[in-house]
Amino acid sequence: MKKISFLAALIMLVLLCSCAGNDSPEKDKIPPTTPKLIPHLGDTGDDPITIDGALVNLNDDNNGIDAVSDGNWIKVPWEKFVDNDLSHVKVFRYTESNPEPNLIATVPAADNYYLDQSSLVERQWYYYYVELYDASGNFSVSDTVSYAILAKSILTSPADGEYVDPTELSLCWERGDSQTNKFKVLLWDNDTGNLVFDYDYYYTPNVEPSPPPEFPFPVLTPAPVNGQVYRWRIDAFDLDSEHNLEMGSESLERTLIIHYN
């Protein structure tokens, strides 16, 4: 009798354990907070803008979707994610000629931007959005941002790393295409990284063949000293009247070294 009772208890225990093994814990079904891509807010050297009640000086790191100087690419940034159980981000892109969104990349959720290094076509608007996934597979979809790149300006003089006398110097470049007439001349102190000069330059040649654009080295305060290194580039812009937005590009950057004659 004791054996039968023990056997029955053992069978009951096995059944209970078996049933308990089939009960999965409650799965997280709450999607992440909706991600926010950052639209193009302006360009390095522009007047400060107000963001969340504070004046912000725009630079290459905080001005939203934009061209980059390293290549013919578009940088797509987003605001910092707020959830702590995130897994990855899927990046989608489409154009007006190909409106079907394509998945172009999957990146870790720890990233704060995606750099589109595809063979992008100049003067074509690219539209981006992302899907943000958490560890349980839930996802949410961002808004859409867009940008169009121009052909880069080609810096011609001075050569990279050249020693120059600022009193006799002009910054020279070639236009990336004949349609672009608006440029921004940018100059940084290479040691501090501070932007020390910017200027909106409109190129309107009145002779043919038109000479390449050039800009005299600016008078700076304090004045440059021998051995001081500056970094410079030329950004290009053109208004797309259909979109009522500017397309843009950033040239490769060069350095110059001050040496008075």
Side-chain angles (χ1 to χ4, degrees):
M1 191 68 177
K2 289 182 179 181
K3 289 183 178 180
I4 294 174
S5 299
F6 176 77
L7 184 60
L10 183 61
I11 293 172
M12 182 64 69
L13 181 61
V14 170
L15 290 174
L16 287 173
C17 290
S18 176
C19 291
N22 290 333
D23 289 335
S24 59
E26 185 68 23
K27 185 179 180 181
D28 173 21
K29 297 180 181 179
I30 301 175
T33 303
T34 302
K36 295 181 180 179
L37 302 189
I38 305 175
H40 188 70
L41 302 175
D43 297 282
T44 299
D46 285 356
D47 292 335
I49 64 171
T50 301
I51 300 178
D52 296 331
L55 277 180
V56 176
N57 289 308
L58 294 175
N59 56 47
D60 294 343
D61 296 324
N62 65 6
N63 68 334
I65 185 173
D66 197 10
V68 297
S69 64
D70 295 336
N72 296 321
W73 308 326
I74 294 177
K75 179 181 178 180
V76 186
W78 43 79
E79 294 183 7
K80 184 178 179 180
F81 301 139
V82 299
D83 301 272
N84 56 17
D85 63 338
L86 300 175
S87 172
H88 60 278
V89 177
K90 290 184 177 181
V91 183
F92 294 83
R93 184 189 67 204
Y94 64 92
T95 65
E96 292 172 0
S97 58
N98 292 293
E100 184 66 28
N102 288 318
L103 174 63
I104 58 173
T106 300
V107 300
D111 292 356
N112 56 16
Y113 70 90
Y114 172 70
L115 185 60
D116 189 354
Q117 302 182 56
S118 308
S119 299
L120 301 177
V121 178
E122 295 157 4
R123 295 181 174 271
Q124 175 167 272
W125 287 90
Y126 290 93
Y127 299 83
Y128 299 87
Y129 69 89
V130 301
E131 292 178 352
L132 175 62
Y133 286 78
D134 64 19
S136 299
N138 306 303
F139 71 93
S140 54
V141 183
S142 75
D143 51 349
T144 300
V145 296
S146 61
Y147 200 71
I149 59 172
L150 297 174
K152 288 179 176 293
S153 299
I154 302 170
L155 307 186
T156 57
S157 178
D160 190 29
E162 184 176 346
Y163 285 83
V164 295
D165 184 338
T167 64
E168 303 174 356
L169 174 65
S170 287
L171 305 176
C172 305
W173 67 95
E174 294 179 1
R175 292 188 292 173
D177 64 47
S178 60
Q179 301 177 64
T180 303
N181 295 303
K182 179 183 176 182
F183 302 91
K184 189 183 288 286
V185 180
L186 297 168
L187 186 70
W188 291 266
D189 183 316
N190 197 59
D191 291 334
T192 64
N194 293 332
L195 181 68
V196 296
F197 181 81
D198 65 90
Y199 186 81
D200 290 331
Y201 176 87
Y202 293 88
Y203 179 68
T204 54
N206 54 15
V207 296
E208 290 294 341
S210 56
E214 64 177 72
F215 188 83
F217 193 84
V219 176
L220 301 176
T221 303
V225 297
N226 278 334
Q228 192 162 1
V229 181
Y230 290 95
R231 178 167 49 93
W232 67 288
R233 79 166 190 244
I234 303 296
D235 290 358
F237 305 96
D238 195 10
L239 178 66
D240 185 322
S241 56
E242 183 178 342
H243 291 80
N244 197 28
L245 295 170
E246 282 190 328
M247 304 170 282
S249 68
E250 301 173 0
S251 76
L252 297 176
E253 296 181 357
R254 284 186 177 178
T255 59
L256 56 87
I257 306 170
I258 300 300
H259 180 77
Y260 291 94
N261 293 328

